[in-house]
Amino acid sequence: MGSSVSRLLRGPAVLYLPAALFLLVFFLVPLFNVAWMSFTEPDTGFGNYTAFFASSFDVGVLLNTFKTAAIVTLISLIFAYPVAYVAARYGGALGSILLLVVTLSFWTSFLVRTYAWMVILGVKGPITAALVMLGWSPPPQILFTTFASTFAMTHLLMPFMILTLYAVMRRIDGTYMRAAAGLGARPLKAFTSIYLPLSLPGIANGSVLVFITCLGFYVTPVLLGSPRDKMIAGRIGDEIEQMLNFGGASAMAIVLLVATLGLFALYSRFFGLDKLWR
């Protein structure tokens, strides 16, 4: 036994030890603690889960979270695809500028960008001022609406979609499109028949990444959205900060985790989870 452990510590497996310890201390132990509290606080049993699924409000918040994530993912894909296409297909100075603009957004945190949108969309912001100059008086309220929350989350997550699509599109051989044009295919037909199918892995990967990231959004919906736009992360925060209901909040967190893992399982079933990292 001692010799086996000694060989293990001298072998390549020892390189995994720091990462394994990090995951154990900072991920598995807190996760186990959350799961434990969901069954033991304030009483032992499934009471927190029963209360969650018996509450039409909480179930509605969970469904709204998935609906919002789906809308943000779809809008991000619609706007990100042309940007990634131009950057990957044409490259050069234009592609470099587009990628520079996209990557610059990572230099600013989500919180700072959210506060920036509060200023831009506010009553005294430039958008409201522009609407007044165009004769729209009184101007519509933009801040604290579903539009503001969805728009800001789309802006925050679009870089992830663009870079994921770009990574796949860069590997698509341009000779396929030239061959299709040489055989008489119109540009739209060549795109829908050749380029779009080849870019589907990027669409799937980017959609999964944006969708799952959006499920956990907390700050942006709280600061920019209306009360009816509450997402499950905000509901968990309310239970902890206002009600001190750690057991109920833990149960909500576990439900969200299980739902997220279910999405990963579906993706792995139809596409293969390993494709997320290619």
Side-chain angles (χ1 to χ4, degrees), residues 91-177:
L94 178 59
S96 300
I97 293 173
L98 288 176
L99 291 178
L100 177 62
V101 172
V102 171
T103 53
L104 280 176
S105 64
F106 290 107
W107 293 14
T108 309
S109 70
F110 278 11
L111 182 61
V112 172
R113 281 183 279 172
T114 299
Y115 277 114
W117 279 117
M118 290 186 68
V119 175
I120 295 172
L121 301 176
V123 176
K124 298 183 179 180
I127 293 182
T128 301
L131 292 176
V132 172
M133 290 179 60
L134 293 173
W136 198 326
S137 182
Q141 179 178 340
I142 303 177
L143 190 61
F144 309 127
T145 62
T146 302
F147 168 79
S149 176
T150 304
F151 183 84
M153 285 190 288
T154 302
H155 165 258
L156 294 174
L157 294 176
M158 263 189 62
F160 296 98
M161 181 73 78
I162 292 173
L163 294 179
T164 306
L165 289 169
Y166 175 81
V168 173
M169 291 177 177
R170 283 290 296 173
R171 297 199 296 266
I172 298 177
D173 195 338
T175 57
Y176 295 151
M177 297 292 285

Side-chain angles (χ1 to χ4, degrees), residues 191-245:
F191 173 80
T192 56
S193 300
I194 299 174
Y195 201 90
L196 183 60
L198 291 175
S199 66
L200 285 179
I203 294 175
N205 295 349
S207 297
V208 170
L209 180 62
V210 170
F211 185 87
I212 292 179
T213 303
C214 190
L215 287 178
F217 258 64
Y218 171 67
V219 173
T220 305
V222 170
L223 294 180
L224 298 179
S226 64
R228 63 175 177 272
D229 299 316
K230 184 178 293 293
M231 298 177 69
I232 192 67
R235 182 76 179 103
I236 293 171
D238 291 343
E239 286 294 302
I240 294 175
E241 296 171 1
Q242 300 177 15
M243 308 298 294
L244 298 179
N245 183 12

